[in-house]
Amino acid sequence: MSVPLELEAIATEVADCTQCKLHQSRKMAVPGEGPADAELMFIGEGPGFHENEQGRPFVGAAGKFLEELLESIGLTREQVFITNIVKCRPPGNRDPQPAEIEACSEYLERQTGSLNPKAIVTLGRFSMARFFPNARISAIHGKPQRIGNRVVVPMYHPAAALHRPSLRATIQADFARLPELIGREARPIRAEDPPTVEQLSLF
Ligand code: URA
Ligand code: SF4
């Protein structure tokens, strides 16, 4: 278990960062959260209303759906690292602007380097564009792409998929393939769990 010193240091810097104009209208910056040894890193677009209030990523409706998707593959949000392309809320949830994304990219790069995840999942087209500037999400969603020594899996944004049945089914299917990618058995946590090794040794 590694100590999340670098991740904590980044979060502290983000909390009072003034490197782009989004700092003027934010209530709380949202650095992102998760354990320093997380194998999966999720990158969303930017904080929305609730995230800006609480300083935590994906705590609104999209976050609830993200938690359901994680649960479907046997993971909880506490086991993965969740962050965004920009750490401060764009006013009225407008799109983040190129200058803001650029100003904030240093934090994302340091987080990625420190975490060194097995796979990065981009949620939505803004985070996809950091890795694949000319790709179309409809063409590459759910397909693992190798970038240097990293695996990046582009996915639709849960907020977009939430209320559109076809996209919802697509993102669910894309999630179902994630465990295999990181060499983990897919198992919904609410399902009947088989006995653990310790339990077996009691008999
Ligand atoms: N949508 C995002 O992209 N990020 C969040 O943190 C919440 C909603
Ligand atoms: Fe700093 Fe990023 Fe917030 Fe802009 S969005 S003020 S660069 S933390």
Side-chain angles (χ1 to χ4, degrees):
M1 187 64 181
S2 46
V3 181
L5 278 183
E6 169 68 359
L7 291 168
E8 270 173 23
I10 298 166
T12 305
E13 284 176 53
V14 165
D16 52 22
C17 174
T18 56
Q19 283 190 98
C20 84
K21 65 179 182 299
L22 291 180
H23 84 274
Q24 294 164 353
S25 49
R26 76 168 177 232
K27 184 164 179 182
M28 291 187 80
V30 182
E33 60 190 31
D37 59 355
E39 295 180 334
L40 276 176
M41 179 185 204
F42 290 83
I43 308 176
E45 182 174 317
F49 176 84
H50 296 284
E51 291 77 22
N52 181 54
E53 293 293 312
Q54 298 179 36
R56 297 185 57 210
F58 283 92
V59 289
K64 202 151 174 30
F65 185 37
L66 179 60
E67 283 173 23
E68 273 176 43
L69 290 163
L70 286 168
E71 190 180 304
S72 75
I73 54 168
L75 290 172
T76 64
R77 67 177 288 148
E78 288 77 25
Q79 293 175 289
V80 300
F81 195 86
I82 306 175
T83 189
N84 286 298
I85 281 286
V86 292
K87 316 299 195 204
C88 302
R89 183 192 186 204
N93 296 348
R94 67 157 167 76
D95 290 347
Q97 294 168 356
E100 295 158 357
I101 294 174
E102 203 44 53
C104 213
S105 65
E106 170 211 330
Y107 298 121
L108 187 66
E109 271 152 35
R110 284 167 58 199
Q111 286 173 319
T112 309
S114 167
L115 197 65
N116 195 22
K118 275 194 184 168
I120 294 173
V121 179
T122 60
L123 300 170
R125 61 198 167 90
F126 287 96
S127 54
M128 179 187 71
R130 285 307 289 174
F131 299 94
F132 315 104
N134 301 312
R136 290 184 35 202
I137 197 157
S138 57
I140 67 167
H141 72 86
K143 295 188 183 137
Q145 318 275 327
R146 195 161 278 282
I147 299 232
N149 57 356
R150 290 197 194 289
V151 175
V152 182
V153 195
M155 297 216 192
Y156 283 102
H157 196 289
L162 191 54
H163 303 295
R164 286 177 58 188
S166 65
L167 284 192
R168 200 183 161 97
T170 301
I171 198 173
Q172 284 166 332
D174 288 348
F175 256 77
R177 295 186 54 215
L178 273 179
E180 157 200 345
L181 256 177
I182 57 166
R184 181 191 266 272
E185 193 190 339
R187 190 159 55 85
I189 46 176
R190 300 257 157 117
E192 278 292 302
D193 283 336
T196 62
V197 172
E198 296 89 88
Q199 285 169 330
L200 282 172
S201 64
L202 292 175
F203 298 100

